[in-house]
Amino acid sequence: MKYMYLIFCLLISTLFTINAQEIVSPNKKIKVIVSQKEFNEKPYGQVYFKILYKNKLEYIEVMPNSPMGIYREDQQFTNNLKFVGESKMQEINQKYEMISGKRKLCANLGTEKVFKYVNSNNKPINIAFRVYNDGVAFRYEFTEKTDSLINITDESTTYVFPPATNRWLQTYTESYEDFFPFSDTGKSDKDKQEWGFPALFKINNNPVWVLISEANISKNNCAAKLNNATNPNEYKVSYASPRDNFKQTGVKTNLPWRSQWHTLIIGQLSDIVESTLITDVSEPNTLTETNWIKPGAVSWIYWAYNHGSKDYQKVVAYTDLAVEMNWPYLLIDWEWDAMSNGGNITDAANYAKSKGIKPVIWYNSGTSWLEPTPVDRLLTAEKRAEEFAWLNKIGIYGIKVDFFAGDQQDMMKYCIAILKDAAKYKLMVNFHGTTVPRGWARTYPNLMTTEAVYGAEWYNNKPVLTSKAAVHNTTLPFTRNVIGSMDYTPVTFSNSQHPHITSYAHELALSVVFESGFQHFADRPEAYINLSAEPKEFLKNVPVTWDNTKLLDGFPGDKIIIARKKAKQWYLGGLNGKDELQTLKINFDFLDVGNFKLKLIKDGLDDKSFGVEVIKVKKGDILNIQCLPRGGFVAVLEKLSTMKN
């Protein structure tokens, strides 16, 4: 038996040869090894990639050999590839500015290499890799030119993880409105082992995290999801499934063609939260004029009444709330086309403008859930032109478009067409009931925010958020909100259909912890107007877009402390995700030299009261804050001026 085993090992070694190339990040911490396994010395085989991360002095294997490849209806590019060449290593070094998001000044800094292959029919395919200091991106490229449409149907791309890897994954749903529960098995209680992006992994007992998503989707792409039905530790990329009235699988396109960028943000938890990799790899801003794009806080009518905006008097009340709270925008939600009780949509827009408030209005995309009106005003370029011209005429500044039908190619085309056409009429956009962010906020900066989250709106629909909110809120900053603005509709103190059990300070902190270019504050006017002076003043002034973001402490589902900078001030938000008292510790090492005044608003004696402190701190100080169960805090840091002798 021993000799048979040795013969078997020898046979295997002759069947496979490995052709390996390395790409390393600029800071040398991340290394990608691309290899090809060839069967029995034949030149055709499967391409694999492996990822290593340097922790202190040694490299840790983050992802073992993981298969690559893509299928077309006419032929495959999977286990039948032959290596024919590679590009020179190229430095990617591009600085750009974001209008909204976690960081204003960003750097697309990485190392790129393109590997060239042909399949057994001698048809070419390239695989382009970029390795960044905080992650890896790769895409497939078909370089030949065709006049006829080619159907690209699926991928064999699979992310392989070591056993016992911890993970926080959302079961795939087209609305991306679900939770990210912890698992160390990768198994789902649903029929399908399908998962949506982004997907968070912690590699065994190592201090290395990976967040998988995708970016730079164009009209020639569909969105993808993950499936680990074959092996719980192997996550295969799958394209959007056909739907009833759209039978297409995958993408139909002329060649040449590029896939979306497959992205893996890699590093410590702070690297994950602070990363801008999704916009780094996306196409630059396509708009020549952007000074009309202004992120801001919004008063929103729907949440408190679980209904639309057909009552003119309620629209007036929320306009007055925006004035009271110094919020620049008012969102008039569904049913505005049936507005009565004293005025119509034009009257409402005129009232808002008379008070210095900019109105935004809601649309049904006309592709999915068709009951809420107005429906079918945006489906074609001609209809959009007519509607957007009318919006300009009555003084509307943005649109919220809801109820898209899924992740198929036609929905990607539709979203991009809306963004382009809205920009022609200087309209900002909020997408709801749609796919997660995939880099469009850089390419089309009039995209202010996207829902694709199980947000506070769900207090209206089911009781489940009541008990899960604290854990969920302390998971989202490490998952969904990493990849782009998130329209959670936070900071609600009163109850809608189902109650809160998060503290008032926890709710207040969501205004900092959650990033969104349009931050919709959804509660009743009296809930904000009757706040005590300090939290009310905080909500009047808290920014919605940031110059810089830093994770100070945290763990998914447990706690988070995040610091965001705007001009010369730092805003801090902290959340306790536990159902018990927890002390959150702020380490002020992130500060510059000098003394700072910290104004702290934290949990009071009970979950519906606040405590306020003003403290002097400096770099290197540590402050312990005791939080109630499901509690939290906010703080504002301002540097104290120094007097010269």
Side-chain angles (χ1 to χ4, degrees), residues 516-553:
S516 182
F518 274 165
Q519 191 74 284
H520 289 87
F521 296 121
D523 211 336
R524 295 167 176 83
E526 58 268 25
Y528 299 116
I529 291 169
N530 295 333
L531 285 171
S532 55
E534 289 83 1
K536 184 176 180 180
E537 192 65 21
F538 180 85
L539 282 178
K540 286 183 176 182
N541 296 293
V542 63
V544 304
T545 188
W546 306 97
D547 296 336
N548 200 6
T549 292
K550 289 186 176 294
L551 176 68
L552 304 187
D553 194 14

Side-chain angles (χ1 to χ4, degrees), residues 161-169 171 181-190 192-195 200-201 226-235:
F161 287 97
T165 288
N166 294 335
R167 57 209 90 186
W168 290 260
L169 306 178
T171 300
F182 166 78
S183 171
D184 58 4
T185 66
K187 295 179 180 178
S188 172
D189 57 0
K190 305 288 175 63
K192 294 182 178 180
Q193 289 285 121
E194 290 189 336
W195 311 97
L200 180 65
F201 301 84
L226 298 172
N227 186 306
N228 68 336
T230 302
N231 183 318
N233 296 312
E234 298 181 1
Y235 292 81

Side-chain angles (χ1 to χ4, degrees), residues 381-400:
E382 293 75 20
K383 288 183 177 182
R384 289 191 293 274
E386 181 181 356
E387 194 73 9
F388 294 166
W390 174 68
L391 295 183
N392 282 171
K393 182 179 179 181
I394 67 170
I396 302 296
Y397 286 79
I399 57 173
K400 171 183 174 181

Side-chain angles (χ1 to χ4, degrees), residues 508-521:
L508 188 66
L510 299 181
S511 64
V512 176
V513 174
F514 293 164
E515 179 273 313
S516 182
F518 274 165
Q519 191 74 284
H520 289 87
F521 296 121

Side-chain angles (χ1 to χ4, degrees), residues 64-95:
N65 275 336
S66 298
M68 307 188 76
I70 195 164
Y71 295 91
R72 291 188 346 208
E73 194 172 56
D74 60 331
Q75 56 197 295
Q76 69 180 51
F77 296 79
T78 55
N79 59 358
N80 61 338
L81 297 180
K82 180 174 74 172
F83 178 73
V84 294
E86 62 188 67
S87 70
K88 291 182 178 180
M89 204 81 74
Q90 180 181 351
E91 182 188 69
I92 304 295
N93 192 350
Q94 180 187 61
K95 290 180 169 54

Side-chain angles (χ1 to χ4, degrees), residues 172-177 243 245 362-370 378-379 384 399-408 410-419 429-435 440 447 449-452:
Y172 178 75
T173 173
E174 289 176 345
S175 68
Y176 294 86
E177 294 179 51
R243 63 178 190 274
N245 60 345
W362 180 97
Y363 284 92
N364 189 325
S365 78
T367 63
S368 181
W369 187 27
L370 299 179
L378 306 181
L379 276 172
R384 289 191 293 274
I399 57 173
K400 171 183 174 181
V401 189
D402 210 341
F403 304 133
F404 291 88
D407 278 334
Q408 295 80 10
D410 65 330
M411 290 297 100
M412 303 300 104
K413 285 183 177 179
Y414 189 24
C415 288
I416 291 169
I418 289 172
L419 290 169
V429 178
N430 170 11
F431 283 143
H432 260 235
T434 189
T435 196
W440 289 336
L447 177 59
T449 190
T450 302
E451 185 188 26

Side-chain angles (χ1 to χ4, degrees), residues 29 53-56 58 60-62 166 201-210 266-272 555:
K29 292 194 77 170
Y53 180 82
K54 194 171 188 179
N55 183 42
K56 296 181 180 177
E58 62 180 6
I60 298 168
E61 187 175 78
V62 172
N166 294 335
F201 301 84
K202 183 177 183 295
I203 308 304
N204 287 338
N205 295 319
N206 295 309
V208 185
W209 299 74
V210 179
I266 301 169
Q268 312 300 309
L269 266 181
S270 57
D271 297 313
I272 304 295
F555 194 89

